[in-house]
């Protein structure tokens, strides 16, 4: 019998929760789900952006797109969210832990604030609350439901910086003394490495319960950054360029569909080769 492997990539009718779904990459994950035939559920704290994105995507794909406003740092909110999704949309098949608190790496009004020596405890707590605790709560509530039903896929969105340390030279500003130079915050590295740890823990924990858990590490994406910045990033990437926002969609479809039924606890890096150097 000839099997048609391409059919394994189909997501027909699958319900996919995307945290941070109203953000830049969240929209692309939602497009991936829609292009596979699934139903995206955008979960975000930003009401106007979530509503706008859901309406735009629904029109663009002439498809069902749902949105819910939830602060994923609060477990109670996620319990309520899960109940609402089950009653209004259906049981969740796919969870994409994508939300992050991503403060801009610039000197701003308080030069040097992001440097390790000065990094504020409040920022440590907030970045962890969204990026790691939020993912933990979503897995605890939505993942647990998947394990009970013996089916589900979790995809944690890490980063190339979940694999390697940031090269701080790309953030440097001419004329500033070393102690005031902006840096990529320590929380970004620790949260993104932490998500890979959470992935491996849960992949083995639920391995026999029908729930697969994997991480995707995207590299930097062109998003109207100044040329002075992108030129520096491009030099760190063997392919000589950053990603276009659409270039992760195929990996997402692979990782959340039946095309990857034997993959769990794995990390896929899509970064133009950056982490090889
Ligand atoms: N953009 C990139 O170049 C890039 C590269 C590698 C990895 N990533 C990762 O991809 C993910 C998405 O990045 P992005 O560029 O789309 O970021 P983004 O800032 O555009 O989107 C993040 C979304 O998370 C939402 N959010 C923040 N706090 C929340 C909370 N408490 N509850 C619910 N939602 C909350 C925000 O409202 C926003 O819509 C992040 O995990 C990021 O680290 C991004």
């Amino acid at each position: 019998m000839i099997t048609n492997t391409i059919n394994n990539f189909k997501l027909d009718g699958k319900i996919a929760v995307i945290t941070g779904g109203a953000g830049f990459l969240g929209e692309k994950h939602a497009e991936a789900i829609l292009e596979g035939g699934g139903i995206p559920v955008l979960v975000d704290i930003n009401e106007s952006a979530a509503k706008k994105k859901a309406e735009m995507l629904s029109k663009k794909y002439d498809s069902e797109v749902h949105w819910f406003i939830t602060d994923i740092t609060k477990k109670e909110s996620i319990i309520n969210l899960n109940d609402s999704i089950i009653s209004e949309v259906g049981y969740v098949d796919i969870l994409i832990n994508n939300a992050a608190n991503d403060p801009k790496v610039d000197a701003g009004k308080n030069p040097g604030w992001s440097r390790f020596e000065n990094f504020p405890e409040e920022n440590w707590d907030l970045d962890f609350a969204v990026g790691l605790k939020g993912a933990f709560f979503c897995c605890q509530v939505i993942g647990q439901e998947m394990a009970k039903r013996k089916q589900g896929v979790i995809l944690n969105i890490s980063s190339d910086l979940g694999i390697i340390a940031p090269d701080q030279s790309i953030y440097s500003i001419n004329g500033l003394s070393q102690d005031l130079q902006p840096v990529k915050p320590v929380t970004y590295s620790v949260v993104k490495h932490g998500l890979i740890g959470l992935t491996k823990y849960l992949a083995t924990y639920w391995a026999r319960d029908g729930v697969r858990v994997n991480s995707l590490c995207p590299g930097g994406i062109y998003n109207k950054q100044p040329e002075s910045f992108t030129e520096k990033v491009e030099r760190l990437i063997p392919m000589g360029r950053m990603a276009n926002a659409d270039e992760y969609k195929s990996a997402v479809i692979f990782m959340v569909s039946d095309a990857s039924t034997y993959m769990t606890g794995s990390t896929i890096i899509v970064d133009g080769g950056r982490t090889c150097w």
Side-chain angles (χ1 to χ4, degrees):
M1 197 180 86
I2 296 171
T3 54
N4 193 350
T5 304
I6 204 75
N7 287 336
N8 294 342
F9 289 83
K10 288 187 179 164
L11 299 171
D12 291 340
K14 295 253 169 84
I15 296 169
V17 165
I18 304 164
T19 70
F24 175 56
L25 255 192
E27 174 185 331
K28 295 292 154 186
H29 303 328
E31 287 185 357
I33 299 299
L34 284 159
E35 287 166 28
I39 302 166
V41 179
L42 312 184
V43 170
D44 209 286
I45 202 169
N46 183 333
E47 181 163 359
S48 58
K51 182 174 188 286
K52 210 165 121 191
K53 284 260 158 99
E55 286 172 355
M56 181 275 287
L57 286 165
S58 175
K59 208 165 148 197
K60 183 171 170 185
Y61 287 85
D62 191 19
S63 252
E64 201 180 326
V65 179
H66 300 265
W67 58 281
F68 288 85
I69 296 312
T70 303
D71 178 354
I72 62 160
T73 67
K74 309 269 185 298
K75 186 168 174 183
E76 206 48 45
S77 309
I78 298 173
I79 294 171
N80 294 336
L81 168 77
N82 191 43
D83 291 346
S84 305
I85 296 175
I86 292 171
S87 65
E88 291 172 37
V89 190
Y91 283 100
V92 178
D93 300 292
I94 298 162
L95 165 64
I96 304 183
N97 284 312
N98 165 78
N101 189 45
D102 201 7
K104 292 284 161 272
V105 181
D106 59 21
K109 289 189 188 125
N110 190 3
W113 78 271
S114 61
R115 296 192 66 78
F116 183 75
E117 298 82 349
N118 308 331
F119 196 69
E121 186 181 344
E122 311 87 85
N123 290 70
W124 175 274
D125 289 344
L126 185 60
D127 293 353
F128 266 72
V130 181
L132 214 41
K133 192 162 77 169
F136 158 65
F137 284 154
C138 287
C139 290
Q140 230 183 12
V141 176
I142 300 172
Q144 187 178 166
E145 190 74 49
M146 289 175 172
K148 265 193 229 152
R149 300 180 61 238
K150 302 281 181 205
Q151 63 175 79
V153 186
I154 298 175
L155 177 60
N156 292 322
I157 304 299
S158 177
S159 164
D160 50 2
L161 299 184
I163 305 289
I164 54 169
D167 181 336
Q168 305 292 8
S169 69
I170 63 176
Y171 307 106
S172 70
I173 295 175
N174 281 341
L176 270 187
S177 61
Q178 182 61 24
D179 60 326
L180 297 180
Q181 287 290 351
V183 293
K184 189 80 174 171
V186 60
T187 41
Y188 197 79
S189 278
V190 185
V191 165
K192 294 301 170 188
H193 278 77
L195 280 172
I196 294 176
L198 179 68
T199 297
K200 291 179 185 174
Y201 184 95
L202 287 179
T204 52
Y205 193 79
W206 281 327
R208 293 175 188 227
D209 293 300
V211 181
R212 299 188 296 109
V213 190
N214 292 293
S215 305
L216 176 65
C217 293
I221 303 157
Y222 289 116
N223 187 15
K224 301 188 191 117
Q225 299 96 333
E227 221 175 288
S228 55
F229 175 75
T230 55
E231 275 172 2
K232 286 192 266 184
V233 184
E234 286 162 358
R235 269 185 246 129
L236 299 178
I237 301 171
M239 285 180 74
R241 64 173 181 86
M242 294 170 72
N244 299 310
D246 281 341
E247 288 186 294
Y248 300 110
K249 293 199 297 193
S250 327
V252 168
I253 294 176
F254 168 67
M255 296 181 87
V256 302
S257 68
D258 284 351
S260 58
T261 44
Y262 195 52
M263 189 175 77
T264 198
S266 291
T267 299
I268 290 191
I269 307 169
V270 183
D271 67 348
R274 177 169 175 185
T275 54
C276 294
W277 266 349

